[in-house]
Amino acid sequence: QVQVVESGGGLVQPGGSLRLSCTVSGGDIFGTYNMGWYRQAPGMQRVMVATITSAFSTDYADAVKGRFTISRENAKNTVYLQMNTLLPEDTAVYYCNAQRKVGLLLGSNDWGQGTQVTVSS
């Protein structure tokens, strides 16, 4: 089974920064996975924040462009989300997603349990 574990969440003041980490284990070669960060605020749907493909192509939600940066370190089976200039609206549970890519085919999504990010003064 694929295990996806997030870390790095916490309480931060508006304007502050956090770096989230997501480590994948028990799966295939990490470099074959498309990875993403999603977030879900109370009473809201889970939405995409940032994605990075196996080819290192990135995409960001408009709300975080210019503030967040997604990256991956395949040798460590880890994807990161650097979050700068945090806003109260960024408060949410942040989830890491892993999706295996086999050639042109995509496998099922594997999700972490989430890490809480709270932006408040």
Side-chain angles (χ1 to χ4, degrees):
Q1 296 95 308
V2 178
Q3 187 173 28
V4 180
V5 180
E6 304 97 336
S7 63
L11 175 64
V12 64
Q13 293 186 342
S17 298
L18 284 174
R19 189 179 76 158
L20 306 183
S21 298
C22 169
T23 299
V24 178
S25 62
D28 217 304
I29 303 298
F30 180 75
T32 67
Y33 286 83
N34 293 331
M35 302 295 299
W37 286 99
Y38 296 72
R39 68 187 183 188
Q40 187 168 23
M44 305 292 287
Q45 295 187 104
R46 188 175 299 183
V47 297
M48 187 272 284
V49 176
T51 61
I52 183 165
T53 69
S54 61
F56 289 80
S57 177
T58 59
D59 193 21
Y60 297 92
D62 288 342
V64 307
K65 284 182 178 177
R67 299 189 297 120
F68 291 10
T69 302
I70 189 170
S71 62
R72 66 192 298 161
E73 193 168 357
N74 288 344
K76 295 184 177 180
N77 286 20
T78 299
V79 63
Y80 305 96
L81 184 68
Q82 179 66 48
M83 305 184 294
N84 297 326
T85 319
L86 283 160
L87 303 170
E89 303 92 277
D90 296 317
T91 296
V93 177
Y94 283 71
Y95 296 91
C96 182
N97 173 264
Q99 186 174 47
R100 174 80 191 282
K101 181 180 74 69
V102 184
L104 298 178
L105 302 178
L106 296 174
S108 299
N109 288 305
D110 293 294
W111 294 90
Q113 296 189 80
T115 185
Q116 176 71 49
V117 172
T118 302
V119 185
S120 177
S121 58

